Amino acid sequence: MKNTIMTPFTSHHSGAFSSNLFTRIAAAAAIAASCLFTPLTHAADMGIAPDIKAYVPKPLTVPTDRPYVVAKDTVFIAGNDVLDPLWKIIHERFQAHHPNIKFKMLMWGSTLAVEGLVSEKSALGPIGRFNRRVEADAFTERFGYPVTYFQIGYDHNPNNKLSTGIWVHSSNPIKSLTKDQVARIFSSGNGKGDITHWSQLGVTQSDWANLPIHAYAARDTSGILALIDEFRHMIGGTPYSPRIEWLPKGAAVIDTVAQDAFGMGLMDFWNNAMEMRGVTKWPRMDEFHDKVKFVPISIDENSEPSDGTLTGSLHPFSSGFGIDINKAPGKPLDPWLKAYCEFLVSTEVQEIISSPEMRKFGFRPLQAGDVAKELKKLE
């Protein structure tokens, strides 16, 4: 795998896909409009996993006694603003199957996904990431059981930024890492043994092999909280390693790795292509851009490493997106809501997510095995 030197820019995640909210919404709107007129090809041509099935519609009605019903056959939904254009397409397709069901949307941000459920005013919550602990805790405190996160895709490369991942000094001999190796570097106590030295990653050079890995991450909770929560979820929920040096912001992580040949930085989404309106340029880019590189990551030793780009394979630390639902243990969902969830993971919606227009936007469809795992949540 060729390691290309990137030219990154800083950004904040802050609960949506990007802090550059208006630029991304405008881009999404343009994409959504084009998707409405783009003919869909066969699922195999769109990169859809073979276990994803077609939606089979059946007669559905909306209960009249639910708090989220705001008018006759009209369901209220609150959630993420950047997902709004995608959801307009999804609802247009869903209503083609079920013209008697209507939707009223309030799409202001991912925090509304859980808040709407807690208030019981929203039937479901489109969310542009995984839930933060504070949001999940609020739901559990209200209902006594966890919120159900139903994933329908991946946000792989939002606004042409590289996925959450690992950056090292450009002189570093590492060519790629596995997801498990990253977990054992940045977490502790997962039962497989912590990775603390470069020799454990196969580095044999005498000036590297016996030296410790200097692990860095950003502490800035105003922009990195989603990363801190999501990454811990991705690596199995084990505690972060006490060896991590927590720096104030993402730019400080990149600055430090650029000056520390033995450093390894965990970073949130990071723009490597162009300066964007609303996104602060990396202050020391001219000085340090050629001193850092993005490390390709693979799911396991037998998988292709992902370079985090639009054309590469899915990055193991890509954020998910989907919906939050209120699924009480042992109780069935309302039939219309269960069917709605099944529609979201059907070939019809997965083809929309996998379309060239949506891929440019950063979306990727579910992978093999994902649908079965998600549908099990509805039981």
Side-chain angles (χ1 to χ4, degrees), residues 62-63 65-71 74-77 120-124 334 336-337:
V62 174
D65 60 347
R66 299 293 188 263
Y68 56 73
V69 177
V70 293
T74 303
V75 173
F76 181 75
I77 293 176
E120 300 187 78
K121 294 180 179 179
S122 178
L124 57 101
D334 288 337
W336 82 267
L337 182 53

Side-chain angles (χ1 to χ4, degrees), residues 63-247:
T64 59
D65 60 347
R66 299 293 188 263
Y68 56 73
V69 177
V70 293
K72 180 176 172 54
D73 298 324
T74 303
V75 173
F76 181 75
I77 293 176
N80 180 267
D81 43 353
V82 177
L83 292 176
D84 188 34
L86 172 61
W87 243 259
K88 287 177 179 176
I89 300 172
I90 289 173
H91 281 168
E92 180 181 278
R93 300 291 181 85
F94 187 78
Q95 288 179 299
H97 298 295
H98 306 285
N100 61 308
I101 299 180
K102 307 175 184 66
F103 299 97
K104 181 176 181 180
M105 306 284 285
L106 178 65
M107 304 289 272
W108 282 0
S110 284
T111 56
L112 285 182
V114 170
E115 290 172 354
L117 294 181
V118 170
S119 69
E120 300 187 78
K121 294 180 179 179
S122 178
L124 57 101
I127 182 167
R129 50 171 169 75
F130 298 115
N131 289 302
R132 296 173 178 172
R133 280 171 289 175
V134 65
E135 295 164 343
D137 289 348
F139 182 94
T140 302
E141 183 177 348
R142 169 69 176 82
F143 294 104
Y145 50 86
V147 64
T148 296
Y149 175 81
F150 190 79
Q151 185 174 343
I152 73 165
Y154 293 91
D155 189 21
H156 180 265
N157 193 265
N159 253 357
N160 208 28
K161 296 190 292 294
L162 291 170
S163 295
T164 294
I166 299 299
W167 292 78
V168 296
H169 193 274
S170 57
S171 66
N172 194 301
I174 291 293
K175 301 299 183 184
S176 65
L177 294 168
T178 66
K179 181 179 179 179
D180 180 69
Q181 287 174 323
V182 175
R184 292 167 61 191
I185 294 167
F186 283 87
S187 69
S188 184
N190 65 6
K192 297 181 179 179
D194 296 356
I195 292 178
T196 60
H197 287 69
W198 293 104
S199 58
Q200 293 174 272
L201 298 175
V203 177
T204 59
Q205 289 92 324
S206 59
D207 54 343
W208 286 81
N210 297 320
L211 292 177
I213 299 168
H214 302 159
Y216 302 104
R219 176 66 77 184
D220 177 17
T221 54
S222 66
I224 209 75
L225 179 59
L227 165 63
I228 292 173
D229 275 359
E230 288 187 16
F231 185 77
R232 186 172 176 181
H233 166 79
M234 292 173 183
I235 61 176
T238 51
Y240 278 106
S241 170
R243 292 177 296 277
I244 296 175
E245 182 173 349
W246 294 93
L247 301 176

Side-chain angles (χ1 to χ4, degrees), residues 17 23 42 47 100 114 126 141 149 191 216 260 269 292 299 364-365:
F17 293 117
T23 300
H42 188 272
N100 61 308
V114 170
E141 183 177 348
Y149 175 81
Y216 302 104
D260 182 355
F269 291 127
V292 294
I299 294 290
R364 296 288 184 96

